[in-house]
Amino acid sequence: MPEDTVHADTPAEARIAAARGSRNDHTRRRNLSSLLTAVHYGGPLTRAQLTRDTGLNRSTIGGLVAELSELGLVVEDAAAETGTVGRPSHIVRPRRDVVALALHADVDALELGAVGIDGAVLARRRANLDAPPTPDDAAAFSWEAAREVAAELGGVRAAGIGAAVPGLVGIDGATVVDAPHLGWRDVALGERLRGALGIPVVVGNDANMGLRAEWSFGAAKGVDTVVYLNGSASGIGGAALVGGRMLRGGRGYGGEFGHMMIRSDGDRCSCGRRGCLETEVNAALLDEAAHDAAALDRFAEVLAAAIANLECAFDPDAVLLAGYLGALFDVRRELVTDQVRAMAFRPDAEDVVIARAALGGNRLLIGAAERAFAPLLRDPAGTALAALA
Ligand SMILES: [Zn+2]
């Protein structure tokens, strides 16, 4: 930030004034961030609610709302019905034309969505595929779908694009190190998407992005230690939020809960080992067992054992189940919950919430968009938006 730079040869008074100005500027930008973040998570809010949520006083809020309006990030509605006696409060809401794009690349489809500041999926495009997409397919689809959703929405300004990939993503948030189901190895997906779209790109593991979405807007909202298990066509993806930080592990392989060993003499897994969770409970086995109550009980018991192991490792406040594991949990809720509690290591195990993920088919788009929105939420005045028409 060059405007914050103070040179050594500047006279002392000017240096002090500049330092003060810089501090004020820093405070203002931080407050803008607090306000936009409150609207991001809380949806449309009155000035009174913003005062309560941010701890800033009313006049400061007024100035900040005006600045966010000038930046084209929020709109303020005139008087709203509050249902209480007194001055009607204005409602501050995110502008609908500010979006983050979100791409989900999967084995059988590419999907792109435009997601609003409040986490609403405003428009989407999907291409069903016979074979896994190549990185070039993903870039070409993103270019075309971005233009289509922008046209559908009458033009948007994009903070960037987040891409959710079923595989291991480098610490740079740009390189797909290994996505075995897609056949992608060391793919510079960030660079390709930036080349195609000309906007900032962040690439992430799909399960991490799913958990991120549930933490921001879904079943784990505001819960800081969460274990997440998602069953899909490409196996079981896992993620863990530990004290508010996403688990990565030393080299990025952390959270591969689908390959937790459940039975050392079980079936051979795609990873080469035997009896992994995803070979013991998967979409094909559950389809076969749809009308077999005893088989469903057995799968529920396997799932419960996996959850009990994860509880030992993470001591979570909540365990979220998505995809086919969420569906299995729905039909065997009591059995899973009882078994987990019976096997619990920690005391007060009934405090651990086991729940089905809440955001359904929008989850990965919302989670990918969350990553793309992060710089804008951190510094609303200093983050450029790109117009897409
Ligand atoms: Zn495995």
Side-chain angles (χ1 to χ4, degrees):
M1 280 174 272
E3 68 267 31
D4 288 350
T5 308
V6 179
H7 295 289
D9 57 356
T10 316
E13 273 176 35
R15 274 212 307 275
I16 292 164
R20 191 173 297 133
S22 159
R23 197 162 53 236
N24 290 342
D25 185 55
H26 179 75
T27 303
R28 182 183 61 86
R29 288 170 98 141
R30 203 184 49 212
N31 288 344
L32 286 171
S33 168
S34 302
L35 208 71
L36 190 61
T37 302
V39 172
H40 171 66
Y41 290 119
L45 294 170
T46 63
R47 283 197 188 187
Q49 288 167 322
L50 284 167
T51 305
R52 191 200 55 211
D53 286 2
T54 62
L56 299 167
N57 67 46
R58 265 189 99 90
S59 62
T60 305
I61 295 282
L64 294 168
V65 170
E67 193 168 348
L68 288 177
S69 301
E70 276 165 34
L71 289 166
L73 298 172
V74 302
V75 285
E76 197 171 19
D77 294 350
E81 196 60 58
T82 59
T84 55
V85 182
R87 243 183 341 168
S89 194
H90 292 233
I91 302 244
V92 180
R93 61 180 85 242
R95 269 182 61 154
R96 283 302 200 186
D97 59 339
V98 179
V99 303
L101 299 179
L103 171 70
H104 176 212
D106 210 347
V107 286
D108 57 356
L110 286 164
E111 189 160 35
L112 180 133
V115 182
I117 292 177
D118 58 356
V121 178
L122 303 174
R124 68 205 301 163
R125 288 292 181 279
R126 182 185 170 91
N128 293 314
L129 307 169
D130 297 327
T134 66
D136 284 339
D137 293 339
F141 168 80
S142 298
W143 186 86
E144 197 170 335
R147 262 133 205 87
E148 285 181 17
V149 298
E152 180 184 326
L153 296 172
V156 295
R157 288 170 300 137
I161 180 167
V165 176
L168 179 65
V169 175
I171 205 111
D172 61 356
T175 309
V176 179
V177 177
D178 190 14
H181 297 285
L182 296 177
W184 296 6
R185 252 204 129 101
D186 290 320
V187 171
L189 186 65
E191 209 172 289
R192 284 190 206 218
L193 291 177
R194 200 157 28 245
L197 295 165
I199 59 177
V201 183
V202 58
V203 182
N205 167 267
D206 56 355
N208 283 2
M209 284 176 162
L211 173 52
R212 172 75 182 247
E214 292 289 336
W215 179 80
S216 292
F217 299 110
K221 194 165 178 172
V223 182
D224 280 348
T225 300
V226 186
V227 169
Y228 171 86
L229 285 172
N230 177 58
S232 76
S234 50
I236 293 178
L241 194 71
V242 183
R245 295 180 77 92
M246 200 65 75
L247 172 80
R248 288 192 51 89
R251 281 156 296 277
Y253 289 91
E256 286 294 344
F257 305 139
H259 298 283
M260 262 191 313
M261 203 179 285
I262 294 291
R263 258 180 56 201
S264 57
D265 62 345
D267 290 337
R268 184 75 71 186
C269 180
S270 64
C271 72
R273 310 186 317 158
R274 283 187 180 279
C276 292
L277 178 60
E278 74 174 43
T279 61
E280 298 298 311
V281 185
N282 57 46
L285 290 173
L286 285 173
D287 273 352
E288 281 170 31
H291 304 290
D292 181 344
L296 285 175
D297 286 350
R298 280 198 305 279
F299 292 129
E301 283 167 9
V302 171
L303 176 60
I307 294 171
N309 285 339
L310 291 166
E311 284 192 1
C312 288
F314 294 100
D315 187 15
D317 299 312
V319 177
L320 289 193
L321 302 169
Y324 66 71
L325 295 179
L328 173 61
F329 180 63
D330 257 3
V331 296
R332 288 294 183 276
R333 195 171 280 257
E334 216 167 302
L335 178 59
V336 172
T337 307
D338 289 349
Q339 292 263 323
V340 171
R341 283 182 188 159
M343 288 183 272
F345 179 77
R346 81 171 218 194
D348 306 320
E350 61 278 5
D351 292 351
V352 182
V353 174
I354 304 172
R356 188 170 187 178
L359 298 174
N362 286 335
R363 188 181 313 114
L364 293 186
L365 295 181
I366 294 171
E370 281 292 278
R371 295 285 305 278
F373 269 130
L376 179 69
L377 294 173
R378 221 163 24 236
D379 186 8
T383 305
L385 299 173
L388 302 176

